[in-house]
Amino acid sequence: MILIVDDVPENVYSLQKVLEFHGFQVDAAFSGEEALRKILSKQYVLILLDVQMPGIDGFEVAENIRGFKKAKDTAVVFLSANYTDINMIIKGYNQGAVDYITKPVDTDLLLLKVKTIYKLYEAKQDNSRQNQEILVLYEHAKEYNQTLLNKIDKFKQVFDLAGVAQWEYYTENERFVPSAQLNKLFNGDEDISVSKNDFFGTLGISEDSLLGQASNAKEIVRMNCQLERNLESKGLKVLLQPEYEDEKLKRVLGVVQEIDNSPI
């Protein structure tokens, strides 16, 4: 919305008629005091502000609204018959004006300036909304990440308490990936990785037998039963879970638990 401030009603009505004809919403104030009251209660894109008015003049209005929250993005264009007075022009810009237009107003020039100010205002609002959306997404991501970290920490505490450790074996490159809990279980230190050979040796199986039996869904059940019997005396319980892709073994997941440390 545009606010026209002028103590001469004819000046207000002529500008209002032109602007409304071109689709702009327009409000009017006929004194500086009335303008300040309206600016406090409404938000305007642009204020067309007459400089010379009795009582509170245009310069005082501009100075007073600097601290208004509702006017922080509002553009001020001064209207004056004394356009040639350089001191008044400088004063106008010092009070926060974005432009200075002489009277009588050239309506074509005014419309050009008003449309430009509206485009700048809308671009600023869009940018502000985008920044706000990004900020909200960022805060949500922070909350999600913190929740995830808390869950991971709780799972780690539970696994440590239960003596549970995990590992993965990838068939494509024969890569063995022990978890920190598995390293701690076998080496007493999370940062010292247990080797593939040492681990399979403890289980009493070879890499070839793991690949052979895990490639067959029925055989993996038999292997789990065999491991349970073999490792019971060592105080360990092991469960293997194969993963397939296009009916080919892709990965073997494993869970190892120290029976003696289990709270069950």
Side-chain angles (χ1 to χ4, degrees):
M1 183 180 288
I2 300 171
L3 176 64
I4 303 173
V5 185
D6 198 317
D7 61 308
V8 180
E10 291 80 5
N11 293 340
V12 173
Y13 296 141
S14 61
L15 291 179
Q16 184 173 2
K17 192 172 182 180
V18 170
L19 291 169
E20 287 180 341
F21 178 78
H22 287 85
F24 294 100
Q25 286 186 298
V26 180
D27 198 2
F30 300 98
S31 68
E33 293 86 352
E34 184 183 3
L36 289 174
R37 288 195 298 271
K38 290 199 169 188
I39 296 166
L40 272 172
S41 61
K42 297 179 182 179
Q43 189 165 352
Y44 298 98
V45 175
L46 168 64
I47 301 173
L48 296 174
L49 186 57
D50 183 35
V51 170
Q52 296 168 306
M53 293 183 293
I56 298 177
D57 64 19
F59 293 131
E60 291 176 281
V61 171
E63 185 176 5
N64 276 288
I65 68 173
R66 279 182 176 180
F68 288 7
K69 186 176 180 181
K70 285 185 176 293
K72 67 182 181 69
D73 294 325
T74 303
V76 175
V77 173
F78 280 118
L79 304 175
S80 175
N82 295 321
Y83 191 78
T84 56
D85 189 334
I86 190 65
N87 292 322
M88 292 190 71
I89 295 172
I90 292 172
K91 187 176 181 180
Y93 284 118
N94 286 338
Q95 295 298 346
V98 298
D99 213 332
Y100 209 107
I101 298 178
T102 186
K103 291 181 179 180
V105 175
D106 182 327
T107 55
D108 290 333
L109 178 63
L110 176 66
L111 285 169
L112 180 63
K113 292 179 183 292
V114 169
K115 289 175 182 177
T116 300
I117 288 170
Y118 258 78
K119 284 180 182 178
L120 292 172
Y121 178 85
E122 288 167 359
K124 187 174 182 179
Q125 295 304 304
D126 286 343
N127 187 56
S128 178
R129 279 192 293 271
Q130 288 174 3
N131 288 340
Q132 188 61 37
E133 289 171 2
I134 291 171
L135 182 61
V136 170
L137 289 173
Y138 173 71
E139 291 300 323
H140 285 169
K142 272 181 34 178
E143 291 176 11
Y144 176 78
N145 287 339
Q146 189 57 53
T147 302
L148 189 60
L149 288 173
N150 291 341
K151 286 183 178 180
I152 291 172
D153 187 55
K154 286 180 181 178
F155 280 133
K156 187 176 182 301
Q157 291 175 17
V158 170
F159 283 171
D160 286 344
L161 180 64
V164 175
Q166 314 86 44
W167 55 276
E168 298 171 275
Y169 179 83
Y170 294 85
T171 59
E172 185 177 3
N173 52 13
E174 300 180 353
R175 185 164 60 98
F176 174 70
V177 183
S179 66
Q181 294 97 332
L182 191 71
N183 293 333
K184 187 176 180 181
L185 180 63
F186 276 77
N187 295 325
D189 191 329
E190 293 182 357
D191 297 324
I192 301 176
S193 293
V194 59
S195 72
K196 179 171 57 174
N197 292 337
D198 287 345
F199 177 67
F200 288 151
T202 301
L203 297 187
I205 61 174
S206 67
E207 194 171 345
D208 289 340
S209 63
L210 173 68
L211 288 171
Q213 289 181 268
S215 296
N216 187 308
K218 293 181 180 178
E219 289 296 323
I220 198 69
V221 176
R222 188 177 300 170
M223 176 173 270
N224 275 322
C225 294
Q226 177 189 336
L227 288 173
E228 185 174 351
R229 289 193 300 270
N230 292 347
L231 298 173
E232 187 175 2
S233 61
K234 297 182 181 181
L236 294 175
K237 185 179 289 186
V238 177
L239 177 66
L240 306 180
Q241 176 63 51
E243 283 189 357
Y244 304 96
E245 188 174 275
D246 297 328
E247 299 184 355
K248 291 184 179 180
L249 181 65
K250 179 183 178 183
R251 181 173 65 157
V252 179
L253 307 176
V255 175
V256 180
Q257 181 178 15
E258 281 187 297
I259 299 172
D260 295 340
N261 288 344
S262 174
I264 299 174

